[in-house]
Amino acid sequence: MTMTELESYGMDKKAQINNVNRGIMLVGVLLVFGIFVFVDLMLLNGSWGSWISPTPVVSLFGLIFGFIILHWQLQEQHLNMIEANRVQAQDSLRVDIYKEIATRIESADPHFSTLVVLPSIFMIELRHRMSQAVPRESQHSLASIQQDLKGSQDAIITLMKSLESYEIAMPEFVIFREQFGKMLRDLIPALSEWSLKSSLLASPKYNAIEWPPNLETVSQFEALSTNIVAIGHDLSGLTMDLRVAAQNYLLGKVFPNRQVRPRQPGDPNVVVTTIPEASG
């Protein structure tokens, strides 16, 4: 059952309970009034006229009945105010959650772009350096490579933690956390191997024995780079899907009748991640 369905179910149950309580109170008042009428007519030989004409007893019951109606109205206003405050608090929480997720996505995007750009640029630079008569150093040092790659891993972990922190409010988003976790498991060993090999290929000075690298080494490194680039694309696409799903799920109640269209990649083989239908 989704969060919206739970909210509707809870409101319906409250309305049913309130209606039952009002019905019981009304039946009780009518029953007491009926008992008084019965006793007066059947046992005390009273007349209908005494109950139709204004009397203290009738006035008393009218006062009691009016008090009950007033009580119902005040109770209804109180419940409506509580419900309005609850909805306002939930809308505020939805906006706050979305802001945090959007901030995490904005911080993660440059790191995921690095996974796409860095291996490609390094590979182009490597081929250019191999063609030179005098080998030169790569512009990418080991320290800078490790820092860039670590930033990508940290960005994934941060996104996963944010989704886990609000899982009780948006349980359907577990699919995104699982997808990020799967990509992280695929990425860590690939980055570890790429970082080691790129550090050897970055500096002919410290790798003179293997310079220039043979074609097999270059081919293996290129395949590894292609794999990392593909994971980087998948991560960027997943964050786009997360942004769309978060807007529709969290802000859909704040801005009714508005929905952001899911990502529509040109390649039919690209997977678009969405939350279950009828959620949010």
Side-chain angles (χ1 to χ4, degrees):
M1 185 175 287
T2 65
M3 183 171 66
T4 302
E5 291 171 342
L6 286 172
E7 292 171 2
S8 300
Y9 177 77
M11 289 187 289
D12 291 341
K13 291 298 291 184
K14 287 181 180 178
Q16 292 175 6
I17 292 173
N18 289 333
N19 290 334
V20 170
N21 290 336
R22 291 171 183 174
I24 293 174
M25 186 179 295
L26 180 59
V27 170
V29 172
L30 294 177
L31 181 61
V32 171
F33 183 76
I35 292 173
F36 272 95
V37 173
F38 177 80
V39 171
D40 183 61
L41 295 178
M42 305 303 292
L43 302 180
L44 301 179
N45 298 320
S47 64
W48 283 105
S50 63
W51 289 97
I52 297 175
S53 60
T55 63
V57 175
V58 175
S59 300
L60 176 61
F61 273 101
L63 181 63
I64 294 174
F65 189 77
F67 175 79
I68 292 174
I69 296 299
L70 178 61
H71 172 73
W72 286 352
Q73 291 177 341
L74 293 176
Q75 185 182 42
E76 185 70 23
Q77 292 177 1
H78 177 67
L79 293 176
N80 289 338
M81 183 177 64
I82 292 177
E83 180 63 19
N85 291 338
R86 184 186 67 83
V87 171
Q88 183 179 10
Q90 285 187 339
D91 287 346
S92 177
L93 177 61
R94 285 188 176 99
V95 172
D96 290 341
I97 294 175
Y98 175 76
K99 285 181 179 179
E100 179 172 340
I101 292 177
T103 299
R104 301 300 185 192
I105 291 175
E106 292 294 335
S107 299
D109 277 341
H111 295 291
F112 298 158
S113 296
T114 297
L115 293 177
V116 175
V117 175
L118 179 58
S120 302
I121 291 180
F122 190 93
M123 197 68 220
I124 295 172
E125 182 199 52
L126 174 62
R127 292 188 181 280
H128 178 68
R129 289 191 295 118
M130 288 173 59
S131 66
Q132 293 180 323
V134 179
R136 63 181 180 84
E137 300 289 307
S138 169
Q139 63 176 341
H140 303 284
S141 65
L142 175 59
S144 66
I145 290 174
Q146 290 180 335
Q147 181 178 358
D148 289 339
L149 300 184
K150 183 178 183 301
S152 301
Q153 298 178 55
D154 292 343
I156 298 175
I157 294 172
T158 300
L159 277 170
M160 292 175 63
K161 286 182 177 179
S162 293
L163 293 174
E164 185 176 10
S165 297
Y166 296 110
E167 187 168 341
I168 191 171
M170 38 197 290
E172 294 85 353
F173 280 70
V174 68
I175 187 173
F176 284 99
R177 183 162 56 84
E178 291 174 348
Q179 284 290 90
F180 278 121
K182 179 180 180 299
M183 291 182 184
L184 181 61
R185 290 190 295 272
D186 293 338
L187 185 63
I188 289 177
L191 288 183
S192 179
E193 185 177 359
W194 193 89
S195 177
L196 176 61
K197 291 185 176 182
S198 63
S199 64
L200 296 176
L201 295 173
S203 176
K205 182 189 302 183
Y206 299 110
N207 193 31
I209 297 178
E210 295 185 14
W211 190 267
N214 58 54
L215 294 180
E216 181 180 359
T217 300
V218 174
S219 177
Q220 291 176 352
F221 184 73
E222 186 172 18
L224 183 60
S225 299
T226 301
N227 181 38
I228 292 175
V229 169
I231 296 176
H233 280 301
D234 290 342
L235 283 167
S236 295
L238 187 60
T239 55
M240 293 179 190
D241 297 338
L242 174 60
R243 190 194 303 273
V244 170
Q247 287 189 68
N248 291 335
Y249 188 93
L250 296 170
L251 303 183
K253 285 290 191 68
V254 183
F255 303 100
N257 303 321
R258 296 186 183 181
Q259 290 285 301
V260 181
R261 294 178 59 187
R263 180 169 59 105
Q264 297 178 329
D267 186 354
N269 296 319
V270 174
V271 177
V272 176
T273 303
T274 59
I275 61 176
E277 288 294 328
S279 298

